Amino acid sequence: MKLKKRILILPGLIIFIAAIAFFFFIKKVENFSAQKVNLDQDLIFTLPAGTGRLGLETLLIQHNLIKDNGLLPWVFRLEPELLKFKAGTYRLQKNMSVEEVLRLFASGKEVQFAIRFVEGSRLSDWSKILQNAPYLKHVAEDKPPQELAELLGMKTESSLEGWFYPDTYLYTAGTSDTELLKRAHQKMVMAVDQEWKGRAENLPYKSAYEMLIMASIIEKETAVESERAKVASVFVNRLRLKMRLQTDPTVIYGLGDKYSGTIFRSSLSTFTPYNTYMIEGLPPTPIAMPGLASLKAAAHPAVTNYLYFVADGNGGHTFTTNLVEHNRAVSLYRQRLKQDK
């Protein structure tokens, strides 16, 4: 009789012990899932396309994020939705748990990188910035202008210069440089179109492109917001009177790599299509990427009689209506420069 009781109790005892052992094992898995990954600082982590569960586990172990303890497959068994991880590049933060890392992979929320193109920069500047941007796919690099224009689907007059909107752009790993340039170009086209449609009457521009050229000159002449419309008025007044624009930034642009930081008298007498001391009217293309403020100034110049301006030595400019006043302002500027030395 006692033997029969023992026989009946034994299976129950085994099941009970197994249940207790399983309970503690599950707790171990849960604790593993909740523990922090081994990171001293944030990490940019790339999960390649085609990575399976075993591949993911191998990557996490190789990066020393988790230990090779065989518990990760059990995390997936307890939470199968975590198996739906997506390839991409993610930012792992040092305080994240194993579960939070896996949920990030399942969310597909890749890290976004920022790239900044400032107002007044040139296409050559943009090329260098794009070349140095992390996790960017380089397609446009070293492409000649015409081929690049075709890649971007651009319809330009004669140059790519000026046709990209300066701004901060976000992108994910694997984005191509041409995708960013397309976004910047589309944004500039929209901005130019909007300002052209709402422009002031009787402006001396034959096209929206000429307005863009003017905006690029304004951008290079002043960084003072309140001055842009007055600078625009000087150039507009000169165009109306058939006076040469005589603006140094266009001369500098025409010199290209020959410009060493100083404009010499010889530079002003050296012909280039951009030497506005020698040519009539506007240069053939923009000389930089203008911002919205300069586009607005070109479309809505101030109503003035100004024909000249010169730096005032305090970061701004002195505007004048005639050559006598202008020469006096130039003399005062030079005096200030001597005093500052």
Side-chain angles (χ1 to χ4, degrees), residues 219-275:
E219 189 67 60
K220 297 301 288 186
E221 280 287 7
T222 182
V224 180
E225 185 85 20
S226 59
E227 284 191 348
R228 287 192 173 98
K230 285 193 284 187
V231 169
S233 75
V234 171
F235 292 132
V236 165
N237 290 339
R238 280 177 164 262
L239 286 175
R240 285 171 175 157
L241 294 172
K242 308 297 182 184
M243 294 176 66
R244 291 175 179 172
L245 297 185
Q246 296 184 321
T247 170
D248 291 351
T250 62
V251 176
I252 293 170
Y253 187 84
L255 290 172
D257 294 337
K258 295 178 182 178
Y259 177 65
S260 60
T262 303
I263 297 180
F264 299 100
R265 288 184 179 274
S266 59
S267 302
L268 299 181
S269 59
T270 300
F271 177 81
T272 77
Y274 295 87
N275 187 343

Short mmCIF file of all heavy atoms in Angstrom, two decimals, residues 219-275:
data_model
loop_
_atom_site.label_atom_id
_atom_site.label_comp_id
_atom_site.label_asym_id
_atom_site.label_seq_id
_atom_site.Cartn_x
_atom_site.Cartn_y
_atom_site.Cartn_z
N GLU A 219 22.73 87.94 -51.02
CA GLU A 219 23.16 87.01 -49.97
C GLU A 219 24.64 87.18 -49.65
O GLU A 219 25.04 87.13 -48.48
CB GLU A 219 22.88 85.57 -50.40
CG GLU A 219 23.08 84.54 -49.31
CD GLU A 219 22.07 84.66 -48.19
OE1 GLU A 219 20.87 84.54 -48.46
OE2 GLU A 219 22.51 84.90 -47.04
N LYS A 220 25.45 87.37 -50.68
CA LYS A 220 26.89 87.49 -50.48
C LYS A 220 27.30 88.89 -50.03
O LYS A 220 28.40 89.07 -49.48
CB LYS A 220 27.65 87.13 -51.76
CG LYS A 220 27.46 85.69 -52.22
CD LYS A 220 27.91 84.69 -51.17
CE LYS A 220 29.41 84.62 -51.03
NZ LYS A 220 29.84 83.55 -50.10
N GLU A 221 26.45 89.88 -50.25
CA GLU A 221 26.81 91.25 -49.90
C GLU A 221 26.55 91.59 -48.43
O GLU A 221 27.26 92.40 -47.85
CB GLU A 221 26.04 92.26 -50.79
CG GLU A 221 26.64 92.45 -52.17
CD GLU A 221 27.94 93.26 -52.15
OE1 GLU A 221 28.44 93.56 -51.06
OE2 GLU A 221 28.44 93.58 -53.25
N THR A 222 25.54 90.98 -47.84
CA THR A 222 25.23 91.33 -46.45
C THR A 222 24.61 90.15 -45.71
O THR A 222 23.83 89.39 -46.29
CB THR A 222 24.29 92.54 -46.36
OG1 THR A 222 24.07 92.86 -44.98
CG2 THR A 222 22.95 92.27 -47.03
N ALA A 223 24.97 90.06 -44.44
CA ALA A 223 24.36 89.05 -43.58
C ALA A 223 23.38 89.72 -42.60
O ALA A 223 22.79 89.05 -41.76
CB ALA A 223 25.44 88.31 -42.80
N VAL A 224 23.22 91.05 -42.75
CA VAL A 224 22.33 91.80 -41.86
C VAL A 224 20.92 91.77 -42.43
O VAL A 224 20.67 92.29 -43.53
CB VAL A 224 22.80 93.26 -41.70
CG1 VAL A 224 21.86 94.04 -40.78
CG2 VAL A 224 24.23 93.30 -41.17
N GLU A 225 20.01 91.16 -41.70
CA GLU A 225 18.64 90.96 -42.17
C GLU A 225 17.98 92.27 -42.63
O GLU A 225 17.36 92.35 -43.68
CB GLU A 225 17.81 90.34 -41.04
CG GLU A 225 16.39 89.96 -41.43
CD GLU A 225 16.28 88.59 -42.07
OE1 GLU A 225 17.20 87.78 -41.88
OE2 GLU A 225 15.28 88.34 -42.76
N SER A 226 18.14 93.32 -41.82
CA SER A 226 17.45 94.59 -42.08
C SER A 226 18.03 95.34 -43.29
O SER A 226 17.41 96.28 -43.78
CB SER A 226 17.53 95.50 -40.85
OG SER A 226 18.88 95.76 -40.51
N GLU A 227 19.19 94.91 -43.78
CA GLU A 227 19.83 95.61 -44.89
C GLU A 227 19.52 95.03 -46.25
O GLU A 227 19.75 95.67 -47.27
CB GLU A 227 21.36 95.59 -44.71
CG GLU A 227 21.89 96.54 -43.69
CD GLU A 227 23.40 96.64 -43.76
OE1 GLU A 227 24.04 95.81 -44.45
OE2 GLU A 227 23.95 97.55 -43.12
N ARG A 228 19.03 93.82 -46.27
CA ARG A 228 18.91 93.12 -47.55
C ARG A 228 18.04 93.87 -48.56
O ARG A 228 18.39 93.97 -49.74
CB ARG A 228 18.37 91.70 -47.33
CG ARG A 228 19.41 90.77 -46.70
CD ARG A 228 18.96 89.33 -46.76
NE ARG A 228 20.01 88.43 -46.32
CZ ARG A 228 20.10 87.90 -45.11
NH1 ARG A 228 19.17 88.19 -44.21
NH2 ARG A 228 21.09 87.10 -44.78
N ALA A 229 16.92 94.39 -48.12
CA ALA A 229 16.02 95.10 -49.04
C ALA A 229 16.68 96.37 -49.57
O ALA A 229 16.47 96.76 -50.72
CB ALA A 229 14.70 95.42 -48.35
N LYS A 230 17.52 97.04 -48.74
CA LYS A 230 18.22 98.25 -49.19
C LYS A 230 19.33 97.90 -50.17
O LYS A 230 19.55 98.62 -51.16
CB LYS A 230 18.79 99.01 -47.98
CG LYS A 230 17.73 99.76 -47.19
CD LYS A 230 18.33 100.75 -46.22
CE LYS A 230 18.90 100.06 -45.00
NZ LYS A 230 19.33 101.05 -43.97
N VAL A 231 20.04 96.80 -49.90
CA VAL A 231 21.05 96.34 -50.85
C VAL A 231 20.39 96.02 -52.19
O VAL A 231 20.89 96.39 -53.26
CB VAL A 231 21.79 95.10 -50.31
CG1 VAL A 231 22.65 94.46 -51.39
CG2 VAL A 231 22.65 95.47 -49.10
N ALA A 232 19.24 95.36 -52.13
CA ALA A 232 18.50 95.04 -53.36
C ALA A 232 18.11 96.32 -54.10
O ALA A 232 18.19 96.39 -55.34
CB ALA A 232 17.25 94.23 -53.02
N SER A 233 17.73 97.34 -53.35
CA SER A 233 17.32 98.60 -53.99
C SER A 233 18.48 99.24 -54.75
O SER A 233 18.28 99.82 -55.82
CB SER A 233 16.76 99.57 -52.95
OG SER A 233 17.79 100.16 -52.16
N VAL A 234 19.70 99.16 -54.20
CA VAL A 234 20.87 99.72 -54.88
C VAL A 234 21.06 99.05 -56.24
O VAL A 234 21.21 99.73 -57.27
CB VAL A 234 22.14 99.55 -54.01
CG1 VAL A 234 23.38 99.92 -54.83
CG2 VAL A 234 22.05 100.40 -52.76
N PHE A 235 21.02 97.74 -56.25
CA PHE A 235 21.26 97.02 -57.50
C PHE A 235 20.11 97.20 -58.49
O PHE A 235 20.34 97.31 -59.71
CB PHE A 235 21.50 95.54 -57.22
CG PHE A 235 22.78 95.26 -56.48
CD1 PHE A 235 22.80 94.44 -55.37
CD2 PHE A 235 23.97 95.85 -56.89
CE1 PHE A 235 23.98 94.19 -54.69
CE2 PHE A 235 25.16 95.61 -56.22
CZ PHE A 235 25.17 94.78 -55.11
N VAL A 236 18.89 97.24 -57.99
CA VAL A 236 17.73 97.46 -58.86
C VAL A 236 17.80 98.86 -59.47
O VAL A 236 17.56 99.05 -60.68
CB VAL A 236 16.42 97.26 -58.07
CG1 VAL A 236 15.23 97.85 -58.83
CG2 VAL A 236 16.18 95.78 -57.81
N ASN A 237 18.16 99.86 -58.66
CA ASN A 237 18.29 101.23 -59.18
C ASN A 237 19.38 101.31 -60.23
O ASN A 237 19.23 102.00 -61.25
CB ASN A 237 18.60 102.20 -58.03
CG ASN A 237 17.41 102.38 -57.09
OD1 ASN A 237 16.27 102.12 -57.47
ND2 ASN A 237 17.68 102.86 -55.88
N ARG A 238 20.47 100.60 -60.01
CA ARG A 238 21.56 100.61 -60.98
C ARG A 238 21.14 99.94 -62.30
O ARG A 238 21.48 100.43 -63.38
CB ARG A 238 22.79 99.90 -60.40
CG ARG A 238 23.60 100.78 -59.44
CD ARG A 238 24.77 100.04 -58.82
NE ARG A 238 25.69 101.00 -58.25
CZ ARG A 238 26.80 101.46 -58.82
NH1 ARG A 238 27.14 101.02 -60.02
NH2 ARG A 238 27.57 102.34 -58.22
N LEU A 239 20.42 98.84 -62.19
CA LEU A 239 19.95 98.17 -63.41
C LEU A 239 19.02 99.09 -64.20
O LEU A 239 19.11 99.15 -65.44
CB LEU A 239 19.22 96.87 -63.04
CG LEU A 239 20.08 95.69 -62.59
CD1 LEU A 239 19.19 94.53 -62.15
CD2 LEU A 239 21.04 95.24 -63.68
N ARG A 240 18.17 99.79 -63.50
CA ARG A 240 17.22 100.69 -64.19
C ARG A 240 17.95 101.84 -64.89
O ARG A 240 17.52 102.31 -65.95
CB ARG A 240 16.23 101.25 -63.18
CG ARG A 240 15.16 100.24 -62.76
CD ARG A 240 14.33 100.75 -61.62
NE ARG A 240 13.22 99.83 -61.31
CZ ARG A 240 12.61 99.76 -60.14
NH1 ARG A 240 12.99 100.59 -59.15
NH2 ARG A 240 11.63 98.92 -59.95
N LEU A 241 19.07 102.30 -64.30
CA LEU A 241 19.82 103.42 -64.88
C LEU A 241 20.92 102.94 -65.84
O LEU A 241 21.72 103.76 -66.31
CB LEU A 241 20.45 104.24 -63.75
CG LEU A 241 19.47 104.98 -62.84
CD1 LEU A 241 20.20 105.60 -61.65
CD2 LEU A 241 18.72 106.05 -63.62
N LYS A 242 20.96 101.61 -66.09
CA LYS A 242 21.97 101.03 -66.98
C LYS A 242 23.39 101.23 -66.43
O LYS A 242 24.37 101.30 -67.18
CB LYS A 242 21.88 101.62 -68.40
CG LYS A 242 20.51 101.57 -69.04
CD LYS A 242 20.03 100.14 -69.22
CE LYS A 242 18.66 100.11 -69.91
NZ LYS A 242 18.11 98.74 -70.01
N MET A 243 23.49 101.32 -65.11
CA MET A 243 24.80 101.40 -64.46
C MET A 243 25.31 99.99 -64.19
O MET A 243 24.53 99.07 -63.96
CB MET A 243 24.69 102.16 -63.13
CG MET A 243 24.34 103.62 -63.26
SD MET A 243 24.11 104.40 -61.61
CE MET A 243 25.79 104.30 -60.94
N ARG A 244 26.61 99.84 -64.21
CA ARG A 244 27.19 98.54 -63.87
C ARG A 244 27.02 98.28 -62.37
O ARG A 244 27.07 99.19 -61.56
CB ARG A 244 28.67 98.49 -64.26
CG ARG A 244 28.85 98.49 -65.78
CD ARG A 244 30.29 98.57 -66.19
NE ARG A 244 30.42 98.54 -67.64
CZ ARG A 244 31.54 98.76 -68.31
NH1 ARG A 244 32.66 99.02 -67.64
NH2 ARG A 244 31.56 98.71 -69.63
N LEU A 245 26.83 97.02 -62.04
CA LEU A 245 26.56 96.67 -60.64
C LEU A 245 27.79 96.86 -59.75
O LEU A 245 27.67 97.20 -58.58
CB LEU A 245 26.07 95.22 -60.54
CG LEU A 245 24.74 94.91 -61.24
CD1 LEU A 245 24.33 93.47 -60.95
CD2 LEU A 245 23.65 95.87 -60.79
N GLN A 246 28.97 96.59 -60.28
CA GLN A 246 30.22 96.80 -59.55
C GLN A 246 30.17 96.19 -58.13
O GLN A 246 30.35 96.88 -57.13
CB GLN A 246 30.55 98.29 -59.48
CG GLN A 246 30.80 98.91 -60.84
CD GLN A 246 31.20 100.36 -60.76
OE1 GLN A 246 30.68 101.12 -59.94
NE2 GLN A 246 32.13 100.78 -61.62
N THR A 247 29.93 94.90 -58.10
CA THR A 247 29.85 94.19 -56.83
C THR A 247 30.98 93.17 -56.71
O THR A 247 31.17 92.34 -57.60
CB THR A 247 28.47 93.52 -56.66
OG1 THR A 247 28.50 92.66 -55.53
CG2 THR A 247 28.06 92.73 -57.88
N ASP A 248 31.72 93.25 -55.62
CA ASP A 248 32.90 92.40 -55.44
C ASP A 248 32.60 90.90 -55.40
O ASP A 248 33.39 90.11 -55.94
CB ASP A 248 33.64 92.81 -54.16
CG ASP A 248 34.29 94.19 -54.30
OD1 ASP A 248 34.30 94.73 -55.42
OD2 ASP A 248 34.78 94.71 -53.27
N PRO A 249 31.52 90.46 -54.76
CA PRO A 249 31.27 89.01 -54.71
C PRO A 249 31.19 88.34 -56.07
O PRO A 249 31.60 87.18 -56.21
CB PRO A 249 29.94 88.91 -53.96
CG PRO A 249 29.94 90.11 -53.07
CD PRO A 249 30.56 91.19 -53.90
N THR A 250 30.68 89.04 -57.08
CA THR A 250 30.64 88.43 -58.41
C THR A 250 32.04 88.32 -59.00
O THR A 250 32.36 87.35 -59.69
CB THR A 250 29.73 89.23 -59.37
OG1 THR A 250 30.28 90.55 -59.54
CG2 THR A 250 28.32 89.35 -58.83
N VAL A 251 32.88 89.33 -58.73
CA VAL A 251 34.26 89.28 -59.20
C VAL A 251 34.98 88.09 -58.58
O VAL A 251 35.68 87.33 -59.27
CB VAL A 251 35.00 90.59 -58.84
CG1 VAL A 251 36.48 90.49 -59.24
CG2 VAL A 251 34.35 91.78 -59.53
N ILE A 252 34.78 87.91 -57.26
CA ILE A 252 35.40 86.80 -56.54
C ILE A 252 34.96 85.46 -57.12
O ILE A 252 35.77 84.56 -57.33
CB ILE A 252 35.05 86.88 -55.05
CG1 ILE A 252 35.72 88.11 -54.43
CG2 ILE A 252 35.46 85.61 -54.31
CD1 ILE A 252 35.25 88.42 -53.02
N TYR A 253 33.66 85.36 -57.42
CA TYR A 253 33.14 84.11 -57.99
C TYR A 253 33.79 83.84 -59.34
O TYR A 253 34.15 82.69 -59.65
CB TYR A 253 31.63 84.20 -58.13
CG TYR A 253 30.98 82.89 -58.54
CD1 TYR A 253 30.67 81.92 -57.60
CD2 TYR A 253 30.68 82.62 -59.88
CE1 TYR A 253 30.09 80.72 -57.97
CE2 TYR A 253 30.10 81.43 -60.26
CZ TYR A 253 29.80 80.48 -59.30
OH TYR A 253 29.22 79.28 -59.67
N GLY A 254 33.95 84.87 -60.15
CA GLY A 254 34.55 84.71 -61.46
C GLY A 254 36.01 84.33 -61.41
O GLY A 254 36.52 83.63 -62.30
N LEU A 255 36.70 84.74 -60.34
CA LEU A 255 38.12 84.40 -60.19
C LEU A 255 38.31 82.94 -59.84
O LEU A 255 39.36 82.35 -60.13
CB LEU A 255 38.77 85.28 -59.11
CG LEU A 255 38.95 86.76 -59.46
CD1 LEU A 255 39.41 87.53 -58.23
CD2 LEU A 255 39.93 86.94 -60.61
N GLY A 256 37.32 82.33 -59.20
CA GLY A 256 37.41 80.92 -58.83
C GLY A 256 38.58 80.64 -57.91
O GLY A 256 38.80 81.36 -56.93
N ASP A 257 39.38 79.64 -58.25
CA ASP A 257 40.52 79.25 -57.41
C ASP A 257 41.64 80.29 -57.41
O ASP A 257 42.55 80.23 -56.56
CB ASP A 257 41.09 77.91 -57.89
CG ASP A 257 40.12 76.76 -57.67
OD1 ASP A 257 39.24 76.90 -56.81
OD2 ASP A 257 40.23 75.75 -58.39
N LYS A 258 41.58 81.26 -58.32
CA LYS A 258 42.61 82.30 -58.37
C LYS A 258 42.43 83.32 -57.24
O LYS A 258 43.35 84.08 -56.95
CB LYS A 258 42.56 83.02 -59.72
CG LYS A 258 42.93 82.12 -60.90
CD LYS A 258 42.82 82.89 -62.21
CE LYS A 258 43.13 81.98 -63.40
NZ LYS A 258 42.98 82.71 -64.69
N TYR A 259 41.27 83.35 -56.64
CA TYR A 259 41.03 84.30 -55.55
C TYR A 259 41.76 83.84 -54.30
O TYR A 259 41.57 82.72 -53.83
CB TYR A 259 39.52 84.41 -55.27
CG TYR A 259 39.20 85.33 -54.12
CD1 TYR A 259 39.47 86.69 -54.21
CD2 TYR A 259 38.62 84.84 -52.96
CE1 TYR A 259 39.17 87.56 -53.15
CE2 TYR A 259 38.31 85.68 -51.89
CZ TYR A 259 38.59 87.04 -52.00
OH TYR A 259 38.30 87.88 -50.95
N SER A 260 42.59 84.72 -53.75
CA SER A 260 43.42 84.37 -52.60
C SER A 260 42.99 85.08 -51.32
O SER A 260 43.70 84.99 -50.31
CB SER A 260 44.88 84.70 -52.90
OG SER A 260 45.03 86.10 -53.16
N GLY A 261 41.86 85.77 -51.36
CA GLY A 261 41.39 86.48 -50.17
C GLY A 261 41.44 87.99 -50.32
O GLY A 261 40.93 88.72 -49.47
N THR A 262 42.04 88.47 -51.39
CA THR A 262 42.15 89.90 -51.65
C THR A 262 41.81 90.19 -53.10
O THR A 262 42.25 89.47 -54.01
CB THR A 262 43.57 90.42 -51.36
OG1 THR A 262 43.92 90.11 -50.00
CG2 THR A 262 43.66 91.93 -51.57
N ILE A 263 41.01 91.24 -53.33
CA ILE A 263 40.72 91.67 -54.70
C ILE A 263 41.72 92.78 -55.05
O ILE A 263 41.72 93.84 -54.43
CB ILE A 263 39.28 92.20 -54.84
CG1 ILE A 263 38.27 91.09 -54.54
CG2 ILE A 263 39.05 92.76 -56.24
CD1 ILE A 263 36.84 91.53 -54.66
N PHE A 264 42.56 92.53 -56.04
CA PHE A 264 43.54 93.51 -56.48
C PHE A 264 42.95 94.34 -57.63
O PHE A 264 41.95 93.95 -58.25
CB PHE A 264 44.82 92.81 -56.92
CG PHE A 264 45.48 92.02 -55.83
CD1 PHE A 264 45.32 90.63 -55.76
CD2 PHE A 264 46.25 92.65 -54.86
CE1 PHE A 264 45.92 89.89 -54.75
CE2 PHE A 264 46.86 91.93 -53.84
CZ PHE A 264 46.70 90.55 -53.79
N ARG A 265 43.59 95.47 -57.92
CA ARG A 265 43.14 96.29 -59.05
C ARG A 265 43.16 95.49 -60.35
O ARG A 265 42.29 95.66 -61.20
CB ARG A 265 44.04 97.52 -59.19
CG ARG A 265 43.85 98.57 -58.10
CD ARG A 265 44.70 99.79 -58.36
NE ARG A 265 44.50 100.79 -57.33
CZ ARG A 265 43.55 101.70 -57.35
NH1 ARG A 265 42.69 101.73 -58.36
NH2 ARG A 265 43.43 102.59 -56.37
N SER A 266 44.13 94.62 -60.45
CA SER A 266 44.23 93.79 -61.65
C SER A 266 43.03 92.86 -61.78
O SER A 266 42.61 92.51 -62.90
CB SER A 266 45.52 92.98 -61.63
OG SER A 266 45.58 92.15 -60.48
N SER A 267 42.47 92.45 -60.63
CA SER A 267 41.30 91.58 -60.65
C SER A 267 40.10 92.30 -61.24
O SER A 267 39.30 91.72 -61.98
CB SER A 267 40.97 91.11 -59.23
OG SER A 267 42.05 90.44 -58.64
N LEU A 268 39.98 93.60 -60.92
CA LEU A 268 38.84 94.38 -61.40
C LEU A 268 38.93 94.67 -62.90
O LEU A 268 37.92 94.95 -63.54
CB LEU A 268 38.74 95.70 -60.62
CG LEU A 268 38.54 95.57 -59.10
CD1 LEU A 268 38.44 96.96 -58.46
CD2 LEU A 268 37.29 94.75 -58.78
N SER A 269 40.15 94.59 -63.42
CA SER A 269 40.32 94.86 -64.85
C SER A 269 40.51 93.58 -65.66
O SER A 269 40.79 93.63 -66.86
CB SER A 269 41.54 95.78 -65.06
OG SER A 269 42.72 95.19 -64.54
N THR A 270 40.39 92.44 -64.98
CA THR A 270 40.48 91.15 -65.67
C THR A 270 39.08 90.68 -66.06
O THR A 270 38.21 90.53 -65.20
CB THR A 270 41.14 90.09 -64.78
OG1 THR A 270 42.46 90.52 -64.44
CG2 THR A 270 41.21 88.74 -65.50
N PHE A 271 38.87 90.46 -67.33
CA PHE A 271 37.51 90.11 -67.75
C PHE A 271 37.15 88.67 -67.39
O PHE A 271 37.91 87.73 -67.64
CB PHE A 271 37.34 90.28 -69.26
CG PHE A 271 35.98 89.85 -69.73
CD1 PHE A 271 34.88 90.70 -69.60
CD2 PHE A 271 35.77 88.57 -70.26
CE1 PHE A 271 33.62 90.29 -70.00
CE2 PHE A 271 34.51 88.17 -70.66
CZ PHE A 271 33.42 89.03 -70.52
N THR A 272 36.00 88.52 -66.79
CA THR A 272 35.30 87.24 -66.66
C THR A 272 33.82 87.56 -66.85
O THR A 272 33.42 88.72 -66.69
CB THR A 272 35.50 86.56 -65.29
OG1 THR A 272 34.68 87.23 -64.31
CG2 THR A 272 36.95 86.57 -64.84
N PRO A 273 32.99 86.59 -67.17
CA PRO A 273 31.56 86.86 -67.31
C PRO A 273 30.92 87.36 -66.01
O PRO A 273 29.78 87.83 -66.04
CB PRO A 273 30.99 85.50 -67.72
CG PRO A 273 32.13 84.75 -68.28
CD PRO A 273 33.32 85.19 -67.51
N TYR A 274 31.67 87.26 -64.90
CA TYR A 274 31.13 87.65 -63.60
C TYR A 274 31.72 88.96 -63.08
O TYR A 274 31.38 89.41 -61.99
CB TYR A 274 31.39 86.54 -62.57
CG TYR A 274 30.64 85.27 -62.89
CD1 TYR A 274 31.21 84.31 -63.74
CD2 TYR A 274 29.37 85.03 -62.39
CE1 TYR A 274 30.52 83.15 -64.06
CE2 TYR A 274 28.68 83.87 -62.71
CZ TYR A 274 29.26 82.94 -63.54
OH TYR A 274 28.56 81.80 -63.87
N ASN A 275 32.59 89.59 -63.86
CA ASN A 275 33.20 90.85 -63.44
C ASN A 275 32.22 91.99 -63.72
O ASN A 275 32.19 92.56 -64.81
CB ASN A 275 34.53 91.09 -64.17
CG ASN A 275 35.27 92.30 -63.62
OD1 ASN A 275 34.69 93.14 -62.93
ND2 ASN A 275 36.55 92.37 -63.91
#
